[in-house]
Amino acid sequence: MSTDLKSKFLKVYDTLKSELINDPAFEFDDDSRQWIEKMLDYNVPGGKLNRGLSVVDSYQLLKGGELTDDEIFLSSALGWCIEWLQAYFLVLDDIMDESHTRRGQPCWFRLPKVGMIAANDGILLRNHVPRILKNHFRGKPYYVDLVDLFNEVEFQTASGQMIDLITTLVGEKDLSKYSLSVHRRIVQYKTAYYSFYLPVACALLMFGEDLDKHVEVKNVLVEMGTYFQVQDDYLDCFGTPEVIGKIGTDIEDFKCSWLVVKALELANEEQKKALHENYGKKDPASVAKVKELYHTLNLQAVFEDYEATSYKKLITSIENHPSKAVQAVLKSFLGKIYKRQK
């Protein structure tokens, strides 16, 4: 992604924000306008923007040539819709998880003037997506498919969040509920659809493709999303907070992390007992015991092995795809995440 395209992408954010704070469907005053602007600036453009930029990137690879200004604008607008959706998920997710930091700064709801207003801000962020789609895509032949796609992926993500939340019910900490298949289901729905499938699906629709004819692409991207989340689980424990931008709390939060699932698979009875006793406890000594056990079980090597196997499997699936352009899109995605450190 060239710096030029990235700066054009960021300019589109300003345009969309300006349209939203002047939306004719609501009578804004200075206070509400300022609130929305501050809320958007704090939550929407702060991340790595991978999901959003991937729409532009994917569309360019499908087209196989230079993009017109209109194509850059439209693919960027779709990319920003995904970033908006992501912001909505994260704002509410942080409240549910009682998190403290996100992207190297305090979570939005942790700001003194915000608090639980953040719940409504989440609803607003979600409502901005159809406003953007209506403003820029209403006349397009693929408009209905776009709206449908965003609705479906949002439903899948919220359902994934639900299985995550009810599996990790704090009142009944039962590690025996955790397995690779449970982990996989959570990841597939909570992360893979919106982070991996959605950007490519947006580009395919904009390119005039029928999504029903690209089920194989969806499968590969969901696989990639699973691999991405396993990396995330690994980095939560073994990554450095300065690099990843957050302090990992999966152990304290009793998360169905790939690491704990693997640890349960590999542990002897005594080690399992130690896991059951210490996993999901807030105190630093318990967390340290879990981390020590992860080291003893050599989970770093187990992860490296998983990473190599996943990569091989993904490359094989991608190279089986009949379209070279689609292969390029999928390889570009894989290249961005393989062996990432944050």
Side-chain angles (χ1 to χ4, degrees):
M1 175 63 64
S2 69
T3 30
D4 180 39
L5 264 181
K6 187 162 184 182
S7 65
K8 284 182 180 171
F9 182 74
L10 289 164
K11 276 205 187 82
V12 174
Y13 168 75
D14 293 324
T15 306
L16 299 175
K17 178 175 74 172
S18 159
E19 290 170 357
L20 290 164
I21 55 180
N22 296 290
D23 193 317
F26 178 71
E27 278 180 52
F28 287 91
D29 57 14
D30 289 345
D31 287 347
S32 53
R33 219 175 246 121
Q34 278 165 9
W35 181 273
I36 297 280
E37 180 155 25
K38 187 182 166 202
M39 185 269 288
L40 291 178
D41 287 346
Y42 197 90
N43 294 296
V44 178
K48 299 186 285 279
L49 306 180
N50 281 345
R51 293 167 183 83
L53 288 164
S54 296
V55 181
V56 188
D57 218 10
S58 302
Y59 184 79
Q60 192 167 28
L61 289 165
L62 289 171
K63 190 185 176 191
E66 281 300 295
L67 301 188
T68 64
D69 286 348
D70 191 44
E71 287 173 322
I72 291 174
F73 183 86
L74 290 175
S75 56
S76 296
L78 288 179
W80 280 113
C81 283
I82 301 175
E83 294 294 337
W84 247 268
L85 191 70
Q86 152 101 330
Y88 144 61
F89 292 143
L90 299 186
V91 165
L92 296 183
D93 203 31
D94 286 342
I95 299 174
M96 291 179 243
D97 289 348
E98 295 172 46
S99 301
H100 290 274
T101 55
R102 162 78 62 191
R103 297 167 171 171
Q105 58 181 15
C107 300
W108 177 241
F109 84 99
R110 293 282 179 194
L111 299 190
K113 284 187 176 168
V114 180
M116 281 307 122
I117 299 174
N120 190 63
D121 289 334
I123 296 171
L124 279 171
L125 285 163
R126 189 261 172 263
N127 276 279
H128 285 162
V129 175
R131 308 304 291 165
I132 296 169
L133 293 176
K134 184 181 170 194
N135 283 340
H136 297 284
F137 297 92
R138 202 173 177 188
K140 305 285 181 210
Y142 52 88
Y143 176 60
V144 173
D145 293 322
L146 265 182
V147 173
D148 212 21
L149 173 68
F150 273 90
N151 285 338
E152 183 160 300
V153 168
E154 185 198 348
F155 168 67
Q156 289 169 315
T157 310
S159 303
Q161 173 73 342
M162 173 197 62
I163 38 178
D164 190 13
L165 293 166
I166 64 179
T167 312
T168 57
L169 269 178
V170 177
E172 32 188 282
K173 290 188 172 164
D174 180 10
L175 268 184
S176 59
K177 282 198 283 194
Y178 289 177
S179 65
L180 271 182
S181 61
V182 169
H183 178 265
R184 196 189 160 78
R185 265 186 82 222
I186 293 172
V187 170
Q188 180 178 342
Y189 289 101
K190 187 184 168 180
T191 304
Y193 283 109
Y194 94 91
S195 300
F196 286 81
Y197 174 59
L198 185 56
V200 176
C202 283
L204 286 167
L205 283 177
M206 206 181 129
F207 195 62
E209 292 285 327
D210 176 354
L211 292 181
D212 292 337
K213 293 187 179 134
H214 289 283
V215 178
E216 198 31 58
V217 171
K218 184 195 270 190
N219 295 339
V220 173
L221 287 160
V222 168
E223 275 304 318
M224 228 181 273
T226 306
Y227 162 60
F228 176 86
Q229 187 58 48
V230 172
Q231 286 177 314
D232 227 46
D233 292 352
Y234 175 81
L235 291 169
D236 187 274
C237 178
F238 294 105
T240 41
E242 302 78 59
V243 178
I244 61 172
K246 59 185 174 186
I247 298 155
T249 56
D250 284 358
I251 296 172
E252 294 93 317
D253 296 341
F254 196 68
K255 278 280 146 79
C256 181
S257 158
W258 183 82
L259 293 171
V260 79
V261 170
K262 273 288 162 201
L264 287 165
E265 263 183 27
L266 299 166
N268 61 33
E269 286 313 307
E270 193 185 331
Q271 290 168 325
K272 270 187 195 153
K273 189 168 174 282
L275 264 181
H276 281 272
E277 280 167 8
N278 294 290
Y279 199 73
K281 296 225 169 89
K282 297 268 186 237
D283 71 291
S286 295
V287 175
K289 277 184 190 147
V290 173
K291 286 193 176 180
E292 193 187 333
L293 184 59
Y294 286 173
H295 282 286
T296 309
L297 294 168
N298 204 2
L299 285 189
Q300 273 161 300
V302 176
F303 169 74
E304 279 161 24
D305 184 49
Y306 166 85
E307 181 160 60
T309 316
S310 291
Y311 184 76
K312 272 203 202 94
K313 219 168 96 180
L314 285 164
I315 285 287
T316 309
S317 300
I318 292 169
E319 288 177 346
N320 284 336
H321 198 281
S323 154
K324 280 278 182 272
V326 172
Q327 278 194 33
V329 169
L330 296 171
K331 280 185 173 169
S332 144
F333 253 80
L334 188 53
K336 283 187 198 128
I337 61 166
Y338 184 52
K339 290 197 183 287
R340 70 192 174 97
Q341 294 304 305
K342 64 174 183 179

